[in-house]
Amino acid sequence: MSITSAATLATLDRTGPRRITDLAVIEGVTQPAMTVLVRVMEESGLVERRGDPSDKRVTLVCLTEAGASYVRARRRAGVEAFARLIDELTREEVNALKAALPALLHLAELEDQDRDGAKQ
């Protein structure tokens, strides 16, 4: 699976159903490229298109249960990989990582703010 596909699934998991145009902006690709990507993920059973209950003219891309399971599995694999690597560090290096956590959390918040700005 491409990085953009995985990122799109993660975005849908994090933010809920989205228009294709919104997904294209968030992931930094063209609308036609996102349309093709969504079609491939739809054929794979990872997403589905549904009508927007608040605006019948709009189609939303939604995660299927298979798509949500894929996102959870990738996250688990990432956590396990980091845990294995952290186990290889010295106590001092682990403490340095712990000390850096507030700054890393702030970076994540800033990234979320940037992403929210891209949605508008």
Side-chain angles (χ1 to χ4, degrees):
M1 176 172 295
S2 73
I3 292 171
T4 305
S5 297
T8 301
L9 292 174
T11 295
L12 290 170
D13 184 60
R14 197 174 50 256
T15 66
R18 291 267 176 214
R19 294 177 180 206
I20 286 179
T21 52
D22 293 341
L23 289 171
V25 169
I26 292 166
E27 303 306 335
V29 299
T30 65
Q31 185 271 331
M34 183 56 68
T35 299
V36 170
L37 185 72
V38 166
R39 187 173 341 123
V40 169
M41 291 190 300
E42 192 174 25
E43 290 169 358
S44 299
L46 299 172
V47 300
E48 63 186 7
R49 297 179 206 218
R50 294 187 193 150
D52 185 344
S54 66
D55 185 346
K56 300 298 181 197
R57 300 168 296 171
V58 174
T59 299
L60 298 175
V61 179
C62 310
L63 271 184
T64 62
E65 183 52 44
S69 292
Y70 178 82
V71 171
R72 287 191 299 269
R74 278 186 59 102
R75 285 187 181 139
R76 270 193 310 276
V79 167
E80 290 167 3
F82 270 108
R84 281 192 306 275
L85 291 171
I86 290 169
D87 286 344
E88 304 280 326
L89 299 177
T90 66
R91 180 178 300 267
E92 293 78 22
E93 290 168 327
V94 170
N95 288 336
L97 281 178
K98 287 179 183 177
L101 283 175
L104 293 171
L105 290 171
H106 188 221
L107 282 175
E109 291 168 359
L110 292 173
E111 197 250 336
D112 284 345
Q113 290 171 2
D114 283 350
R115 188 173 300 146
D116 288 342
K119 291 181 218 171
Q120 298 172 5

